[in-house]
Amino acid sequence: MKKILKNDGVQSLLASLICILLGLLIGYVVLLFIEPSGAGEAIKAVIKNFLTYNKKESQLKYLGNTLVKAAPLVMCSLSILFSYKVGLFNIGAAGQYCIGIACSLYCALALKLPWWVCTLVAVLGGALAGSISGLLKAYCNVNEVISGIMLNWIILYGTNMLLTNVKEATSPYTKEVARTSAASLLPTLGLGKFFNNNKYVGVSVIAAVVIAVIVWVVLEKTRFGYELRATGGNKNAAKYAGMAEKRNIIVTLAISGALAGLGAAMLYLTSYEQWNCSTSSVPGMGFNGIAAAFLGGLNPIGAILSSFFIQHITAGGAYVDKKIYCAQISDLISSIIIYLCGFVFFMKLMMNKRIAKQEERAQKALAKKAAEGGKEQ
Amino acid sequence: MTLLVQYTLIFASVLILVALGGCFAEHSGVINLGLEGTMLVGAMGGALTMRYLTDKLPTFALILLVILISMAAGALYCSLLAVASINLKADQTIVGTALNMLGIAGVTVVVKAINTAANPDDVSSVINYGAAREKFLVKLGDFEFSWFMLVTLILLVAAYVILYKTRFGLRMMACGEHPQAAASVGINVFKMRWAGVLISGAYGGLGGIVFIMAGASEWRFEYGVAGFGFLSLAVMIFGQWKPQRIALAGLLFGLFRALSNVYSSFDFLAKMDIPSPVYNMLPYIISLIVLAFTSKSSQAPKAEGIPYDKGMR
Amino acid sequence: MSTPSPYAIEMLHITKRFPGIIANDDVTLQLKQGEIHALLGENGAGKSTLMSVLFGLYQPEEGEIYVKGKKVEINDPNVANELGIGMVHQHFKLVECFTVLDNIILGVETTKGGFLQKDEARKKVMALSEKYGLRVDPDAKIQDITVGMQQRTEILKMLYRDNEILIFDEPTAVLTPQEIEELMQIMKNLAAEGKSILFISHKLAEIMAVADRCSVLRKGKYIGTVETKNTTMEELSAMMVGRNVNFHVEKGEAKVGKPVLEVRNMSVASKVHKNNAVKNVSLTVHAGEIVCIAGIDGNGQTEFVYGLTGLEPLVSGSVKMLGEDITKAKIRERSLKGMSHIPEDRHKHGLVLDYSLEDNLVLQRYFEPEFTNKAGFLRRDNIRKYAEKLIAEYDIRSGQGPVTKARAMSGGNQQKAIIAREIDKGPELLVAVQPTRGLDVGAIEGVHKSLISQRDAGKAVLLVSLELDEVMDVPDRILVMYEGEIVGELDPKKTTQEELGLYMAGAKRDEVKA
């Protein structure tokens, strides 16, 4: 038992579960404050999400929706964790995601390019945004958090500007991809039929899982991953060992950006959402990616689970009783969870301290026993 | 032209206040990335005060109360950052980001709950303070002087005095530069950092209410504060963590921001037909370029972002 | 009325244990009022633990502390401050961007309604500075002044607080000889004015020159206290190390071959001040010889090695290895050409602490075909095999073998891992910087043997060392570095420690040709 508790992975899982439980608990308390009578129902709705429906068909259909939105979240959390392994905090994932939206929608709606070209451009756009942060970090010593934040806003306004060219005449929203350029829609691979003909479910869901696995393999099994993790673990030692530190920083942020950009294509090329050309803040997907990455213990496979969970409760927010509460209660819960994720290292420290204390006590007891045994002889 | 000056001054007020907030936290050794959320919480505090008390208080008392409550709300909110980053040694970047998200989600939930409780059909996150807003303004011809401008000036001078002329400031900055040295002469680093973060929250919270009242008579809180918290960080870095330079940087960035609101009234700008998002982008682009050239010799407090541990010497 | 105690501080029978080690074992230290008392001991003898106890950073398991005859409980550095105890730390506790004056008054500021009143403070500082000959510019910023002036600021900090008991922790390590001279005079002035001074050091000459009495610690134990006028350096040295260490390294004649490393006119910038830390250094290391760069810490050795290994760029000069110019070569290229580097700071450069032992052992070779296949995947089985081989050959001990996290290993075994990695790489040139730092006697012998076997295998070895014994015993040639320059070349067989010391202290210098 103790051995299991000592395992780093187990500790991460435990810490994440604590974060989730505390997040839900605090969310529940907030609901109680607003209106005690419906709080239980509301928190249940958030947790149940698509299970709120009684009919299996509906459940499947809305499970499909949750999956469609979880896929880009997985990509954003991969983007965050990939650079975090190298000791970089890619807060710019939000902007890289945004540039992915701009690229994919513009290619689809204005140029009517096939889906794979749209996706590729989105990936390149994200990579470009990421590598700007990388270049600034490597050659000008600009903190990637600060440059990421600046780029987020530059990109947001740029996206609004670009996509105004392809918006509906009467609304601030962009045209629908499905109606404007069917060739730009991501292939569904016929997956929709498993989700009660949900037309949005498709290749993105599978791709997200596959890419998570690839990221894991790259980080853990390859020379490149070895270098990146060494750089994250001890920058000076990496330099001493002749690793190309600057190149690694740039490549890492470019890959992170590519992952976030791909995430955007995965969502917007399903025609599930349109872009509002008067959006006044950077889309939250990138920031939620931070939550998912840390909640998943900075492990790519963990990121799949945590992304699904976060998307699950976010979607669940739509099912609370709107007469009393609002849907943002889910955002509240997930932001509390991120806040608590900041304490994961503290929690692990506490766990290790407790284990060490118990072991010490056990050893003392043993020593005492031995001493007493000695006396008897 | 008057309009441009007016917008410049009011936006500069916001940026200066919030940047000074960031500056206090960083001088004590804590990076406050959660200013965006702090502004929103402060704004909510002030807006609610106006919603309930506009008719019940004389003008002066109302202005004072709005300012104090916004500051208190911001400070209270930042105690979440303080406890996490100072006492529990959490990663300040994660916590700051979480506070931005928590700010917008929390404020939306609260305001919507209040609105819905008052009127079951109202599910919006809007608070109207149009009547109160008038009381903050003095018309000088075309120019609308806001009392907030004066308050900003006072708080700017106060920040300078606190940092450079008082014992408290000297001790706080020592904690941001070399906490071990501060501790070795008997300064309580934890207390000083708490103070820095709370002041940061107060300035940020006040900046929030100034921002939402800058040009609107009601605010939809789910929209947040449009990146002003982040822009203020740029102002702070641009100002090299010094109040007097922050003031200049704030004016410069305020001007760009104001231009995006009023550029169409200038013939030569209107003729150039630059879309308004470009004006919005400009401050960020400029900060990036400046950062690229100045970051090698940054004046940032040396110990910022590093949790202080008593055991480390 | 009781007579006042003759002692400023008495620490009686202090015992402080840490898991697995007794850092202070029944240690007694009595500092008389108005004397200069040296505390002597090697690295790891327990000096810093004892001081941490005195300043309340650690609570001792046993023992009592008296200050001026009164028993005291010190559980916080502030208590020590209030008792009038001040300390100049080895690493100064100064805020770089503050002025000298601000640093001095920090924590004990005079204020009026919360506002700083600096005029009084300035007068007092100037008066103190005059009285004790402590030249400082109160308005200069710490980042702009010399190390010596920074130290004087630290001393003024104590005097400004009217501290009566002054502790100097290895104060000469960072100073130039002139500054050391000056410091000695200042300490004597202070003692003459009635201050009690505790002088922590492991430099015998300085202790003999300035201290009245000397207490010696060895491996956590209290060895004794002697009056310096009744003792000799030899006696003190014997007390410090326990025996007349003259451990001799067995080695045959060097078979010197062709030049492997040729450094010409190298200058390297300093990170601390604006001048170059390494000035116009030229040297040659041949195959089959061990060349040692000797010198007191901080005389440019670190920067020289950074320049040589490519960690820092050169300001000017050139480096040739095996006849090829590598002045601008990347670190990896140097490594591939056959340069190995045992770094000075194993935690900063030598190891990725969160990596396993096996991953650390391939840190210089992970990219070779043996450890990475053509597709870029690591060959874990080969890494494991290689790690197991090195662990066995170099006797690297750890909790779980190859998968132990480097962080969980003892310092000595971490060092062994680095040495194994660097030597097994099969270098033509081995740059070993303080390779025995923090190792016990047995391990030191092992390291020395490895260096000599490299030499005997016809490789070039460049050793950088601060330890006199090592400098005298291991190399075939000694180059002394002083203030960034090579000031002497000595033959260890012909020279003496005394002569070496004169060069190291800058008292003697020759023209040296590379």
Side-chain angles (χ1 to χ4, degrees):
Chain A
M1 176 67 192
K2 251 182 226 151
K3 220 173 189 176
I4 297 174
L5 274 180
K6 258 189 184 171
N7 182 301
D8 195 57
V10 176
Q11 285 187 353
S12 299
L13 186 69
L14 217 60
S16 297
L17 288 176
I18 294 173
C19 288
I20 290 175
L21 285 177
L22 274 176
L24 288 171
L25 187 71
I26 297 172
Y28 178 62
V29 171
V30 171
L31 290 172
L32 280 179
F33 263 102
I34 295 172
E35 171 60 55
S37 62
E41 279 304 310
I43 200 85
K44 252 190 240 160
V46 169
I47 299 171
K48 271 177 153 175
N49 182 17
F50 57 85
L51 296 172
T52 315
Y53 297 99
N54 292 324
K55 276 199 296 194
K56 190 149 181 260
E57 293 80 36
S58 307
Q59 284 186 1
L60 278 176
K61 181 151 196 163
Y62 287 92
L63 167 63
N65 281 355
T66 302
L67 288 177
V68 167
K69 280 202 86 173
L73 188 55
V74 171
M75 302 311 294
C76 284
S77 66
L78 290 176
S79 165
I80 303 282
L81 78 86
F82 192 76
S83 43
Y84 201 80
K85 291 274 178 190
V86 194
L88 299 166
F89 196 99
N90 185 23
I91 205 169
Q96 293 147 12
Y97 178 78
C98 194
I99 204 172
I101 297 172
C103 293
S104 54
L105 283 185
Y106 192 77
C107 288
L109 298 174
L111 310 175
K112 307 212 167 40
L113 295 169
W115 64 272
W116 58 272
V117 180
C118 299
T119 307
L120 193 66
V121 175
V123 167
L124 290 176
L128 175 74
S131 46
I132 292 176
S133 274
L135 285 165
L136 285 170
K137 169 93 180 179
Y139 291 104
C140 304
N141 195 28
V142 179
N143 186 315
E144 76 281 1
V145 174
I146 301 295
S147 69
I149 288 171
M150 302 294 146
L151 281 170
N152 284 350
W153 291 92
I154 296 172
I155 291 170
L156 171 71
Y157 293 121
T159 303
N160 280 343
M161 221 157 76
L162 181 71
L163 294 185
T164 305
N165 297 320
V166 290
K167 79 179 183 68
E168 304 265 9
T170 49
S171 82
Y173 286 95
T174 51
K175 294 179 215 161
E176 272 185 67
V177 178
R179 286 196 199 152
T180 316
S181 168
S184 305
L185 280 179
L186 289 179
T188 58
L189 306 178
L191 287 176
K193 65 174 181 280
F194 298 107
F195 297 93
N196 192 22
N197 292 325
N198 185 326
K199 61 183 184 222
Y200 305 115
V201 183
V203 69
S204 68
V205 176
I206 295 172
V209 174
V210 171
I211 291 169
V213 173
I214 292 175
V215 166
W216 181 79
V217 169
V218 166
L219 280 173
E220 300 297 327
K221 300 287 171 199
T222 68
R223 177 182 67 192
F224 183 52
Y226 175 93
E227 284 197 5
L228 293 187
R229 285 181 299 121
T231 310
N234 183 348
K235 215 167 62 176
N236 294 313
K239 186 177 178 192
Y240 156 84
M243 297 173 190
E245 188 200 358
K246 290 186 174 171
R247 190 201 67 194
N248 282 350
I249 287 176
I250 299 165
V251 171
T252 302
L253 282 169
I255 291 176
S256 281
L259 289 168
L262 178 58
M266 281 180 172
L267 182 62
Y268 282 80
L269 294 180
T270 60
S271 209
Y272 184 87
E273 267 185 24
Q274 283 103 51
W275 177 260
N276 177 345
C277 295
S278 52
T279 304
S280 65
S281 61
V282 187
M285 190 66 83
F287 298 116
N288 277 326
I290 300 174
F294 284 92
L295 193 60
L298 293 169
N299 177 307
I301 311 304
I304 300 177
L305 300 175
S306 61
S307 298
F308 178 78
F309 172 78
I310 286 177
Q311 191 47 48
H312 180 76
I313 60 164
T314 305
Y319 300 107
V320 297
D321 186 347
K322 297 280 177 17
K323 288 201 190 75
I324 321 174
Y325 309 110
C326 63
Q328 277 85 357
I329 189 72
S330 311
D331 296 344
L332 184 72
I333 293 172
S334 42
S335 52
I336 293 169
I337 291 175
I338 312 188
Y339 178 74
L340 295 170
C341 280
F343 304 148
V344 164
F345 294 105
F346 182 75
M347 290 184 203
K348 282 192 191 171
L349 197 76
M350 283 327 222
M351 288 184 214
N352 283 330
K353 259 193 187 162
R354 271 202 79 151
I355 294 169
K357 238 186 201 166
Q358 279 176 356
E359 277 180 357
E360 206 176 308
R361 223 176 288 154
Q363 266 182 1
K364 268 190 189 159
L366 261 176
K368 209 171 163 195
K369 236 183 191 172
E372 278 166 5
K375 264 181 217 160
E376 275 165 28
Q377 285 176 353
Chain B
M1 193 64 200
T2 331
L3 204 57
L4 180 67
V5 174
Q6 180 186 322
Y7 271 115
T8 301
L9 285 180
I10 198 72
F11 282 137
S13 299
V14 177
L15 292 170
I16 291 169
L17 284 172
V18 183
L20 288 173
C23 177
F24 269 103
E26 299 215 352
H27 272 308
S28 77
V30 180
I31 297 176
N32 187 353
L33 276 187
L35 285 168
E36 189 94 352
T38 308
M39 282 177 74
L40 203 58
V41 172
M44 179 185 77
L48 286 175
T49 313
M50 290 187 281
R51 172 178 175 144
Y52 292 114
L53 296 175
T54 300
D55 306 328
K56 299 188 179 106
L57 289 173
T59 302
F60 178 72
L62 180 73
I63 292 178
L64 194 66
L65 199 65
V66 166
I67 289 173
L68 288 180
I69 289 188
S70 298
M71 292 178 93
L76 194 67
Y77 189 62
C78 275
S79 60
L80 285 176
L81 171 67
V83 76
S85 60
I86 301 169
N87 302 82
L88 300 180
K89 309 190 187 347
D91 184 309
Q92 297 175 9
T93 315
I94 303 175
V95 173
T97 309
L99 287 187
N100 288 334
M101 300 172 69
L102 188 62
I104 197 161
V107 165
T108 308
V109 166
V110 171
V111 174
K112 280 193 174 178
I114 290 171
N115 281 343
T116 314
N119 171 9
D121 294 330
D122 184 0
V123 292
S124 76
S125 62
V126 173
I127 298 180
N128 187 304
Y129 40 79
R133 184 169 178 268
E134 297 301 316
K135 301 191 178 186
F136 283 82
L137 301 173
V138 180
K139 287 230 164 33
L140 305 166
D142 286 346
F143 182 75
E144 277 187 352
F145 171 77
S146 164
W147 286 114
F148 284 134
M149 296 174 189
L150 182 66
V151 171
T152 303
L153 186 66
I154 295 170
L155 286 176
L156 173 68
V157 175
Y160 178 83
V161 172
I162 291 172
L163 284 177
Y164 297 116
K165 300 289 171 198
T166 67
R167 171 167 71 186
F168 171 75
L170 189 74
R171 292 184 172 190
M172 196 179 76
M173 288 201 287
C175 294
E177 292 288 338
H178 194 334
Q180 286 77 20
S184 78
V185 293
I187 295 169
N188 187 330
V189 178
F190 292 104
K191 242 197 217 160
M192 282 294 151
R193 290 196 163 178
W194 261 90
V197 173
L198 291 183
I199 296 176
S200 165
Y203 271 80
L206 181 59
I209 189 70
V210 179
F211 173 70
I212 66 165
M213 289 173 76
S217 52
E218 59 171 34
W219 195 256
R220 190 175 291 273
F221 278 89
E222 59 192 294
Y223 285 174
V225 291
F228 259 68
F230 292 125
L231 194 57
S232 302
L233 279 180
V235 169
M236 175 191 73
I237 296 170
F238 209 88
Q240 293 285 293
W241 292 267
K242 293 188 176 77
Q244 61 277 36
R245 289 205 201 174
I246 285 175
L248 294 177
L251 283 169
L252 181 70
F253 282 35
L255 175 69
F256 286 118
R257 197 68 207 200
L259 272 177
S260 75
N261 283 33
V262 300
Y263 71 96
S264 50
S265 61
F266 290 91
D267 281 344
F268 73 99
L269 287 178
K271 258 185 220 146
M272 286 205 287
D273 197 24
I274 301 167
S276 82
V278 173
Y279 291 99
N280 285 329
M281 263 189 234
L282 262 180
Y284 296 106
I285 294 175
I286 292 171
S287 350
L288 259 192
I289 293 170
V290 170
L291 281 174
F293 286 106
T294 57
S295 292
K296 285 231 154 133
S297 57
S298 165
Q299 303 280 315
K302 287 202 184 60
E304 68 171 17
I306 308 163
Y308 171 67
D309 195 330
K310 263 190 181 166
M312 265 165 45
R313 279 185 298 150
Chain C
M1 283 277 294
S2 61
T3 49
S5 164
Y7 293 112
I9 296 178
E10 290 172 276
M11 298 181 80
L12 304 176
H13 310 292
I14 303 289
T15 297
K16 174 69 200 168
R17 295 187 191 91
F18 292 109
I21 184 171
I22 306 180
N24 285 160
D25 186 358
D26 193 14
V27 171
T28 289
L29 177 72
Q30 291 175 303
L31 171 65
K32 276 188 196 160
Q33 305 227 12
E35 74 165 340
I36 300 179
H37 190 119
L39 180 60
L40 173 67
E42 287 190 303
N43 292 333
K47 292 174 297 187
S48 16
T49 307
L50 192 65
M51 286 307 109
S52 298
V53 168
L54 180 59
F55 274 86
L57 292 168
Y58 298 138
Q59 302 308 309
E61 274 84 28
E62 287 159 42
E64 294 171 334
I65 303 176
Y66 292 83
V67 172
K68 292 175 190 156
K70 247 192 245 145
K71 186 170 182 218
V72 291
E73 286 293 331
I74 303 178
N75 42 30
D76 188 89
N78 291 337
V79 178
N81 290 342
E82 278 157 29
L83 290 167
I85 307 174
M87 178 152 162
V88 176
H89 297 265
Q90 196 178 353
H91 302 285
F92 301 148
K93 308 261 181 196
L94 296 171
V95 180
E96 292 257 303
C97 65
F98 280 12
T99 63
V100 168
L101 185 63
D102 284 347
N103 268 291
I104 293 173
I105 63 173
L106 184 66
V108 288
E109 308 85 346
T110 318
T111 56
K112 207 175 194 175
F115 293 100
L116 292 170
Q117 306 292 318
K118 293 190 193 170
D119 295 344
E120 287 290 309
R122 181 188 304 271
K123 271 183 214 150
K124 184 171 174 186
V125 168
M126 293 319 283
L128 285 170
S129 131
E130 189 100 343
K131 183 170 171 191
Y132 295 103
L134 295 155
R135 286 180 298 106
V136 291
D137 170 6
D139 297 314
K141 287 194 174 163
I142 298 297
Q143 61 205 12
D144 300 328
I145 63 180
T146 63
V147 177
M149 201 181 280
Q150 293 179 357
Q151 191 174 59
R152 293 198 283 278
T153 307
E154 283 280 21
I155 298 171
L156 280 169
K157 238 163 103 178
M158 298 193 293
L159 298 174
Y160 187 80
R161 286 161 172 73
D162 299 321
N163 287 338
E164 291 296 319
I165 301 161
L166 313 180
I167 299 171
F168 290 81
D169 186 7
E170 306 267 0
T172 59
V174 290
L175 301 182
T176 65
Q178 293 80 5
E179 285 173 331
I180 292 174
E181 198 64 28
E182 230 173 299
L183 176 68
M184 297 284 159
Q185 193 52 49
I186 291 166
M187 285 166 71
K188 282 179 187 161
N189 293 349
L190 290 167
E193 291 286 336
K195 309 276 183 190
S196 316
I197 294 177
L198 189 61
F199 173 44
I200 303 169
S201 179
H202 58 239
K203 295 182 181 169
L204 301 174
E206 289 167 9
I207 290 173
M208 293 301 285
V210 75
D212 301 308
R213 297 194 304 151
C214 177
S215 293
V216 185
L217 298 187
R218 182 168 77 227
K219 290 190 179 149
K221 286 201 172 68
Y222 173 62
I223 303 302
T225 301
V226 291
E227 304 232 346
T228 46
K229 60 173 187 264
N230 300 332
T231 188
T232 60
M233 282 208 229
E234 287 69 28
E235 193 188 340
L236 280 180
S237 164
M239 285 174 81
M240 175 167 77
V241 292
R243 59 194 157 95
N244 288 320
V245 238
N246 246 335
F247 65 107
H248 225 70
V249 184
E250 291 302 323
K251 61 172 200 250
E253 277 300 307
K255 294 181 204 68
V256 179
K258 60 181 187 329
V260 173
L261 175 72
E262 293 164 89
V263 177
R264 291 294 172 269
N265 308 99
M266 182 201 282
S267 293
V268 184
S270 166
K271 296 249 151 178
V272 193
H273 50 77
K274 288 165 198 91
N275 304 332
N276 286 338
V278 178
K279 298 165 197 153
N280 210 21
V281 165
S282 298
L283 59 84
T284 306
V285 185
H286 300 88
E289 70 168 344
I290 301 177
V291 173
C292 176
I293 295 182
I296 295 168
D297 199 7
N299 272 293
Q301 302 97 315
T302 304
E303 289 84 353
F304 172 75
V305 172
Y306 283 3
L308 176 64
T309 54
L311 282 167
E312 291 289 335
L314 304 187
V315 173
S316 60
S318 69
V319 182
K320 260 195 206 169
M321 207 176 128
L322 295 168
E324 244 179 288
D325 186 66
I326 56 161
T327 312
K328 295 229 160 64
K330 295 205 170 78
I331 297 173
R332 173 69 49 84
E333 291 168 35
R334 294 175 205 233
S335 170
L336 292 175
K337 284 209 166 70
M339 187 189 285
S340 267
H341 175 195
I342 299 169
E344 177 180 358
D345 187 335
R346 57 178 166 260
H347 288 173
K348 185 174 177 191
H349 287 119
L351 297 166
V352 179
L353 287 173
D354 286 322
Y355 266 13
S356 60
L357 173 58
E358 59 180 0
D359 280 357
N360 270 298
L361 285 172
V362 294
L363 194 62
Q364 300 278 21
R365 302 184 58 181
Y366 63 92
F367 50 86
E368 291 176 9
E370 188 184 347
F371 304 115
T372 299
N373 66 18
K374 282 202 182 106
F377 286 89
L378 293 174
R379 301 175 71 171
R380 281 274 158 213
D381 44 341
N382 285 358
I383 293 175
R384 176 65 51 88
K385 260 187 246 153
Y386 179 67
E388 277 166 354
K389 183 189 114 189
L390 289 191
I391 289 170
E393 264 175 41
Y394 290 84
D395 188 27
I396 306 164
R397 292 181 204 170
S398 62
Q400 297 142 290
V403 296
T404 316
K405 289 259 187 295
R407 191 181 290 289
M409 292 165 57
S410 73
N413 281 299
Q414 289 176 344
Q415 187 71 10
K416 277 194 212 163
I418 294 172
I419 291 171
R421 178 181 76 207
E422 297 304 321
I423 288 183
D424 201 75
K425 212 175 116 217
E428 291 302 320
L429 169 70
L430 176 63
V431 181
V433 189
Q434 299 186 46
T436 55
R437 189 156 95 161
L439 299 189
D440 58 40
V441 178
I444 289 174
E445 225 177 287
V447 173
H448 288 165
K449 273 192 188 139
S450 320
L451 294 183
I452 287 162
S453 68
Q454 282 296 300
R455 174 192 88 145
D456 292 344
K459 313 291 183 190
V461 179
L462 181 65
L463 170 69
V464 178
S465 178
L466 307 175
E467 305 295 328
L468 280 185
D469 290 330
E470 192 167 271
V471 174
M472 293 301 287
D473 275 351
V474 180
D476 302 304
R477 276 198 293 146
I478 303 170
L479 296 170
V480 185
M481 200 163 198
Y482 175 74
E483 294 200 323
E485 293 174 281
I486 302 286
V487 295
E489 174 169 349
L490 304 168
D491 181 343
K493 282 193 231 82
K494 291 180 189 146
T495 188
T496 59
Q497 291 216 2
E498 286 67 36
E499 190 183 11
L500 183 61
L502 289 174
Y503 280 96
M504 284 167 57
K508 211 173 160 185
R509 64 185 299 161
D510 310 327
E511 246 349 273
V512 181
K513 290 211 183 80

